[in-house]
Amino acid sequence: MNDTQAYISPVWPSFTDIVAERGEGCYIHAQDGRTYLDFTSGIGVTNTGHCHPAVVEAAREQVGKIIHAQVNILFHPPLLRLADALREVVPGPLDTFFFSNSGAEALEGAVKLARHATGRPNIIVFQGSFHGRTNLTMAMTTSKTIYRQHYQPLAAGVFVAPYPYAYRYGWDAEETSQWCLRELRHLLASQTAPSETAAIIVEPVLGEGGYVVPPASFLQGLRQICDEHGILLVADEVQSGFGRTGKFFAVEHFDLVPDIMTMAKGLASGFPLSGIAAPRALMDRWLTGTHGGTYGGNAVACAAAVATVGVLQEGLVENAARMGEVLMDGLRALQSRVPVIGDVRGLGLMIGVEFTNPDGTPATELVKEVIGRCLDNKLILLNCGTYGNVVRWIPPLIVTQDQIETGLEVFAGALAASA
Ligand SMILES: Cc1ncc(COP(=O)(O)O)c(C=O)c1O
């Protein structure tokens, strides 16, 4: 740590002490002259790669025109262009947009919209979910106790149902899915009546909670339960969106059309921008003036987002699907040789590798060691999962086969050295 770093609040955990001078594609050039292969994408943000030229150019051009055209006062062209661009990629009925700055803000906004639209107070989230760190989203987040430690009691009206994490339960995927749906119905019968439940909020692929892909039957079951009871289904695509899973949005893998979708991270390639998408008829039930914000829909961020959507449409989503297969094959080959790798799962370039000790306990320390060794060899990886025993693979979607192979080689070397 250098002297100045001492003045940065220690509430931020530091996974590395790299000072990034410059980012370019899949690489971080550090101030000390080292170059790292970045397979974190800033936690799933720089899907187009660091400083994609089209995104840089769009932002640069917009900065010279107008930076802040506050949305309550003015419309600006990038805002309108972004709504048009998103209508091309978001599931059909979700044609109207609200913009804010962070993922948590989008989730808070989605819940406020659902409460207004239904007149109901409660919401249901899932075990292991991560929706943010603000007061309400903290109550919606159950991936780790650290996010709520010493902040309790949290906002009321949030109920938690199990997520079909088949590997954790040790059951067959379909059996887990049906059990979770039964438990959800039980929750609606025992804790929050359907008539008091505004929304069910789900990550279509569980992110921070361990990179878990649910069976389609689970998400379709949620759709059915919501339709039966007039509950709104919110898909949180903050991490799984913008091409990450090899489709523009993860819901497309499951033929799921939610009532509300939240997005952030990959939306603007690193500019702080988040959004809520919903059908116009639903947005019309959100009383004008009851929600908003100073910066949401910032002109530079929107210009970067329009460019981001354009870049993703030029083959990056397909590349994510293709490179995801290469990465998955490589990781599964490693799994067959390394018994501590208990599970390899994911969609596209959102892949989790779960480490389990021979006695069935999470191999948290080993994951820490492996990630540390990768860093020593200039590959940046992150972990996830309640116990931190899942290595998450989220390279930029521009990643090449050579870069994937380099990543796999470094990871295999780190595993061998740690075993
Ligand atoms: C699925 C999901 N929702 C919401 C959030 C919160 O986003 P932010 O950190 O921008 O508030 C995250 C962040 O990791 C996330 O992964």
Side-chain angles (χ1 to χ4, degrees):
M1 186 188 292
N2 65 35
D3 288 348
T4 318
Q5 280 171 304
Y7 297 102
I8 303 298
S9 171
V11 75
W12 265 312
S14 297
F15 301 124
T16 80
D17 59 4
I18 299 168
V19 181
E21 183 69 36
R22 203 161 56 78
E24 188 182 14
C26 294
Y27 296 100
I28 292 286
H29 301 286
Q31 224 173 33
D32 64 6
R34 287 164 74 91
T35 295
Y36 293 85
L37 187 55
D38 177 15
F39 273 17
T40 71
S41 304
I43 321 189
V45 171
T46 54
N47 288 3
T48 55
H50 289 285
C51 298
H52 189 287
V55 176
V56 170
E57 192 42 45
R60 198 172 265 151
E61 198 186 318
Q62 187 56 40
V63 166
K65 288 184 176 166
I66 189 162
I67 296 171
H68 180 61
Q70 207 283 329
V71 174
N72 294 15
I73 304 169
L74 306 160
F75 287 104
H76 55 75
L79 178 83
L80 304 174
R81 283 206 305 270
L82 181 56
D84 279 343
L86 288 174
R87 280 193 300 118
E88 285 180 24
V89 294
V90 163
L94 284 64
D95 60 358
T96 309
F97 303 92
F98 172 87
F99 296 108
S100 45
N101 309 286
S102 66
E105 266 185 282
L107 267 296
E108 289 246 10
V111 173
K112 286 170 83 173
L113 165 58
R115 284 178 170 158
H116 257 214
T118 61
R120 302 175 183 180
N122 295 338
I123 56 170
I124 296 175
V125 296
F126 292 93
Q127 181 63 51
S129 55
F130 185 95
H131 296 297
R133 298 157 186 274
T134 56
N135 195 49
L136 176 62
T137 57
M138 206 171 25
M140 297 164 65
T141 290
T142 58
S143 58
K144 286 190 185 107
T145 51
I146 187 129
Y147 300 125
R148 19 171 83 205
Q149 198 170 315
H150 303 311
Y151 298 125
Q152 312 246 19
L154 301 173
V158 182
F159 295 81
V160 184
Y163 195 88
Y165 189 162
Y167 178 75
R168 185 166 90 80
Y169 291 114
W171 303 334
D172 164 70
E174 201 47 46
E175 188 186 357
T176 316
S177 167
Q178 295 311 319
W179 176 76
C180 289
L181 292 170
R182 281 198 302 277
E183 286 300 300
L184 176 59
R185 286 191 186 277
H186 189 67
L187 188 73
L188 288 166
S190 61
Q191 295 188 50
T192 171
S195 62
E196 290 187 310
T197 307
I200 294 178
I201 298 107
V202 67
E203 287 171 79
V205 176
L206 195 66
E208 164 73 12
Y211 275 32
V212 181
V213 184
S217 63
F218 176 70
L219 292 171
Q220 283 156 8
L222 294 188
R223 182 68 276 174
Q224 196 183 330
I225 290 170
C226 285
D227 289 346
E228 271 171 39
H229 298 294
I231 298 170
L232 297 174
L233 184 58
V234 181
D236 180 353
E237 290 264 11
V238 165
Q239 189 156 168
S240 55
F242 293 92
R244 175 53 55 197
T245 65
K247 303 256 187 207
F248 221 100
F249 291 100
V251 289
E252 295 167 41
H253 288 280
F254 309 100
D255 281 331
L256 177 72
V257 178
D259 299 298
I260 302 174
M261 207 161 91
T262 56
M263 55 188 99
K265 289 190 186 281
L267 167 59
S269 293
F271 286 87
L273 185 68
S274 62
I276 302 171
R280 175 77 208 194
L282 190 58
M283 284 282 190
D284 280 342
R285 282 146 72 187
W286 207 1
L287 192 62
T288 301
T290 59
H291 191 57
T294 301
Y295 295 110
N298 170 268
V300 181
C302 285
V306 173
T308 297
V309 173
V311 169
L312 292 171
Q313 283 173 318
E314 283 163 16
L316 282 198
V317 182
E318 293 76 11
N319 192 57
R322 254 192 329 271
M323 290 304 113
E325 279 176 26
V326 174
L327 181 55
M328 184 69 93
D329 287 349
L331 291 169
R332 291 227 158 113
L334 264 177
Q335 181 188 18
S336 67
R337 301 199 301 271
V338 182
V340 77
I341 298 182
D343 198 23
V344 179
R345 55 186 179 244
L347 283 176
L349 286 172
M350 185 171 184
I351 298 182
V353 178
E354 181 154 355
F355 282 56
T356 306
N357 291 316
D359 65 358
T361 56
T364 308
E365 287 311 309
L366 180 60
V367 163
K368 216 183 275 175
E369 192 180 330
V370 169
I371 288 179
R373 286 187 197 276
C374 287
L375 190 61
D376 293 342
N377 288 290
K378 297 190 273 188
L379 168 68
I380 316 179
L381 286 174
L382 279 179
N383 67 349
C384 63
T386 299
Y387 303 99
N389 65 320
V390 181
V391 176
R392 62 172 131 177
W393 294 75
I394 26 171
L397 312 188
I398 53 162
V399 73
T400 63
Q401 184 153 348
D402 277 356
Q403 289 163 332
I404 296 264
E405 280 161 9
T406 303
L408 284 167
E409 212 171 287
V410 173
F411 185 61
L415 273 173
S418 305

